[in-house]
Amino acid sequence: MGKNFSDGNSVFESSIGAKIVADYATKVAGVNIKSNLSLFQSYESANLSNWTWINSFGYTIWKGIGLGFEFGLRNNRQEAANFQSVELADADNKLQSYWLFGLSYAF
């Protein structure tokens, strides 16, 4: 398999592959919308590939103060195997997700 680039005892394997990134931003009816997709496709094994998709929405209420909402999805078999302390092929690679809501300030 791939060679690890770290000096320590890394549980993650490096591999040759393609990094693909797509960004999109727009404003619709006063709502700022941003989307980012980051994908690594390994040439060696699909088990070494991963992706992250983050979407955010923001709305300015008054003098630069606004509300924001963000959610993200992530799929990474190596992280799942490390967290579960199992071999890579045995990892239960469930879709990871998060969301946040809060105040924002633009200047």
Side-chain angles (χ1 to χ4, degrees):
M1 288 267 176
K3 179 177 169 107
N4 290 322
F5 292 106
S6 70
D7 292 335
N9 188 11
S10 178
V11 296
F12 298 105
E13 289 186 45
S14 300
S15 78
I16 296 173
K19 179 75 172 188
I20 302 163
V21 177
D23 280 314
Y24 178 76
T26 190
K27 189 171 190 173
V28 177
V31 177
N32 293 312
I33 302 169
K34 294 181 184 178
S35 185
N36 175 276
L37 174 66
S38 177
L39 171 108
F40 176 74
Q41 181 60 50
S42 172
Y43 296 150
E44 295 177 26
S45 168
N47 286 340
L48 302 177
S49 299
N50 63 72
W51 58 267
T52 304
W53 184 31
I54 299 171
N55 296 283
S56 63
F57 305 89
Y59 183 76
T60 302
I61 297 172
W62 178 71
K63 294 187 178 184
I65 299 172
L67 295 174
F69 175 75
E70 179 176 292
F71 70 92
L73 302 172
R74 181 165 174 79
N75 187 299
N76 188 323
R77 184 173 286 284
Q78 289 193 80
E79 286 180 356
N82 181 46
F83 180 75
Q84 297 165 9
S85 300
V86 297
E87 293 295 320
L88 188 58
D90 299 328
D92 183 10
N93 190 24
K94 294 181 181 173
L95 183 66
Q96 302 170 35
S97 65
Y98 79 92
W99 65 271
L100 57 92
F101 180 77
L103 293 174
S104 62
Y105 182 74
F107 52 92

